Amino acid sequence: MWQCPPFLPVPVRPDRIARTLLLTTLATISLSAAAKTHAQGAMVSGTVHDSIARAPLAGALVQLVADDSRSSFGQSVMSDSVGNFSFRDVPAGRFMLGFHHDKLDSLGLEPMMRAVTVSGQVVVRADLAIPSSARIREALCGPDSPARSAAVVMGIVRDAATRAPLSGVTVGADWVELTLGKDGMRRRTVRRTTATHANGWFAVCDVPRPGSVFLRASRGTDSTDVIEMQVPEDGFLRQELYVGSTRIAARGRVVRGTDGRPIAGAQVGLENGTPVRTDERGEWVMSEAPAGSRLLEVRAVGFYPLRQAINVVNGAAPVRLAMSTYEDVLDTLKVIASYDRYNRLEEFRTRSRSGLGRFITAEDIVRRQPVVTSDLFRNLVPGVYLDSQADSVRMRDAFGERCVPTFYLNGMQLNGLDGMALDAAITPDRIIGVEVYQQSQAPPQFVPALSGCGSIVIWTK
């Protein structure tokens, strides 16, 4: 089994990660005098390993170059499918061994180099590696501590037209923190900003893990959409962002997640853009989409709304979007909800006596006799209404502006519900209670991250 070599404790600065990792990712050399090679020299061999993926790295360009004046030796080979490489007929002397790979560029790392000494007729074993995510994270943000997670979001910002790295781009990261204190639960939005280096590289430390982070890159008047990313448990997230000012064609295909069959007539759109419809093959084309990293939204009758980050760049491959039916998503929720329905109904009644928010009971629903669920929001709750033109439920935020609330079904957040999707997902006869909160009123479990709007919580039988 491949084992990561020991690392040297070298002080680091975030903007010198590549140079630090140059010193901390190299293995020791093992020499075996028992095996002889070609009469003209020794053999230098090893394996290139990707410590982040925990797998050998194929297709790395490995180079061995003389590091003293006694030799002009220099060779390049490619690592094979299992990461192995070898150099034959290597003369005695000191050499520099290193490798290049696209993954190094995506991490913002310089080529990994190490010193190798060859003397006599021996086989020299020298392994190379991309550093592990834990090593990169620690080099950038320092070690974990009880007061901080030391998790990191890093990546490269590129030009959407040329894919060249961009320097001086502002990258913002936002997330929500909930703190429990003597005065109750407090909610605050944390924002960190940084600027990309000459190679387009950026890093933001101390993000939550696991948790949601909202990224946005901007350069002048050009910017990406706000992209929601999930930071994994290991605290290392790598994300490339694209910024552009041009219009580029974007295309893709919408299919069923269960069997891959095309979905015709689905509505596909970018934020603040004009949506398009899929054809009978499930294919869609936007002839003039804004270049850069964008948030794509897909809706289709009978399917759960889908939001996905895409990169609108020159030469991009078509985007494949797989949608789930409401039966796929909501049947599971129905089982969970019915399991503790009575406890949740009691919690609903307890919150209704708190004086915060507005509540629609099963009795209210019977008296109103709605045909579809969205009818409940036609002038029944002050500050909440059904926008028939946009086919969506709206609320008013703290500034009196119209906004789209976040829906929760049996305690689980559902993104992207509009009037049509709400009616398809839930019938009025299944509802036992509805809670409606302005953002400042909502209990912590029903506070949507960075939405700026309120919440509507629906409980079913």
Side-chain angles (χ1 to χ4, degrees):
M1 179 181 295
W2 187 92
Q3 292 185 345
C4 183
F7 288 79
L8 304 178
V10 181
V12 301
R13 288 169 44 196
D15 60 338
R16 304 309 295 270
I17 179 175
R19 188 166 296 180
T20 300
L21 293 171
L22 172 68
L23 301 174
T24 60
T25 59
L26 305 179
T28 57
I29 302 174
S30 63
L31 302 179
S32 173
K36 294 189 176 182
T37 63
H38 193 277
Q40 294 182 2
M43 181 172 72
V44 177
S45 64
T47 299
V48 186
H49 195 82
D50 183 351
S51 301
I52 296 176
R54 300 181 181 179
L57 186 63
L61 178 63
V62 185
Q63 296 180 319
L64 184 68
V65 180
D67 193 37
D68 57 31
S69 57
R70 293 183 297 170
S71 172
S72 59
F73 181 91
Q75 283 187 9
S76 298
V77 297
M78 299 290 290
S79 62
D80 62 20
S81 59
V82 291
N84 293 330
F85 67 89
S86 62
F87 297 93
R88 296 181 178 276
D89 301 334
V90 180
R94 294 194 310 273
F95 300 86
M96 293 302 297
L97 177 68
F99 72 96
H100 302 257
H101 196 274
D102 289 343
K103 286 195 174 182
L104 292 179
D105 293 335
S106 67
L107 290 166
L109 302 181
E110 297 173 358
M112 301 286 99
M113 302 292 293
R114 59 167 301 168
V116 173
T117 300
V118 176
S119 60
Q121 302 297 317
V122 296
V123 173
V124 179
R125 176 75 184 186
D127 292 331
L128 300 169
I130 292 178
S132 68
S133 58
R135 295 298 182 182
I136 296 176
R137 182 167 52 82
E138 185 173 345
L140 283 171
C141 305
D144 285 340
S145 70
R148 55 193 294 267
S149 71
V152 63
V153 177
M154 64 174 296
I156 292 179
V157 179
R158 300 182 183 274
D159 185 275
T162 65
R163 305 202 184 191
L166 297 174
S167 63
V169 177
T170 300
V171 179
D174 299 74
W175 63 90
V176 174
E177 289 186 352
L178 297 176
T179 305
L180 183 61
K182 294 181 179 179
D183 53 350
M185 184 75 70
R186 286 188 174 184
R187 176 182 184 271
R188 73 183 185 109
T189 300
V190 181
R191 179 173 177 80
R192 298 276 174 83
T193 59
T194 187
T196 59
H197 296 274
N199 61 352
W201 179 86
F202 72 90
V204 180
C205 289
D206 299 333
V207 300
R209 62 163 178 171
S212 297
V213 174
F214 298 82
L215 295 179
R216 186 173 186 265
S218 59
R219 181 185 59 171
T221 59
D222 301 329
S223 67
T224 68
D225 289 343
V226 177
I227 307 298
E228 182 179 4
M229 306 301 301
Q230 298 298 319
V231 181
E233 181 66 39
D234 66 2
F236 180 82
L237 175 63
R238 179 180 60 193
Q239 180 66 34
E240 287 203 351
L241 298 172
Y242 291 83
V243 175
S245 57
T246 60
R247 295 275 173 170
I248 300 175
R251 64 187 70 245
R253 191 164 184 256
V254 181
V255 300
R256 295 173 178 263
T258 52
D259 54 20
R261 287 187 296 164
I263 300 175
Q267 180 178 286
V268 182
L270 296 174
E271 196 172 59
N272 301 321
T274 302
V276 298
R277 295 279 183 178
T278 58
D279 60 19
E280 65 277 4
R281 297 184 299 275
E283 297 176 353
W284 57 270
V285 178
M286 294 181 190
S287 57
E288 292 190 349
S293 296
R294 303 296 169 195
L295 186 62
L296 191 71
E297 187 173 85
V298 187
R299 298 174 184 271
V301 177
F303 290 86
Y304 188 71
L306 175 66
R307 287 187 176 184
Q308 182 170 316
I310 66 168
N311 293 319
V312 181
V313 298
N314 278 331
V319 181
R320 186 180 186 275
L321 303 161
M323 302 189 74
S324 299
T325 64
Y326 282 106
E327 289 79 5
D328 295 334
V329 177
L330 298 180
D331 277 357
T332 302
L333 299 180
K334 178 177 151 185
V335 173
I336 295 174
S338 63
Y339 179 76
D340 59 354
R341 178 181 54 164
Y342 298 104
N343 288 335
R344 289 181 171 180
L345 186 57
E346 184 58 34
E347 292 174 3
F348 170 85
R349 291 168 177 162
T350 300
R351 286 191 293 270
S352 69
R353 294 190 291 267
S354 68
L356 296 176
R358 295 182 181 274
F359 296 81
I360 303 173
T361 65
E363 292 77 14
D364 295 328
I365 297 172
V366 171
R367 285 195 300 269
R368 189 167 182 85
Q369 295 184 342
V371 177
V372 292
T373 298
S374 59
D375 286 342
L376 292 173
F377 305 104
R378 295 184 189 272
N379 304 318
L380 179 61
V381 179
V384 181
Y385 55 93
L386 182 65
D387 187 338
S388 57
Q389 184 176 3
D391 192 26
S392 63
V393 178
R394 303 282 180 169
M395 296 181 67
R396 294 194 181 277
D397 62 17
F399 303 99
E401 300 293 334
R402 295 183 178 185
C403 61
V404 179
T406 300
F407 280 88
Y408 292 81
L409 177 62
N410 296 329
M412 178 170 288
Q413 182 175 332
L414 300 178
N415 294 318
L417 279 183
D418 57 12
M420 180 178 64
L422 179 65
D423 295 338
I426 312 162
T427 56
D429 61 296
R430 292 181 54 203
I431 299 175
I432 59 176
V434 179
E435 305 176 40
V436 181
Y437 297 101
Q438 298 294 330
Q439 186 183 35
S440 59
Q441 300 174 326
Q445 65 268 34
F446 303 135
V447 176
L450 302 177
S451 77
C453 200
S455 305
I456 296 178
V457 186
I458 300 176
W459 301 98
T460 62
K461 298 176 182 177

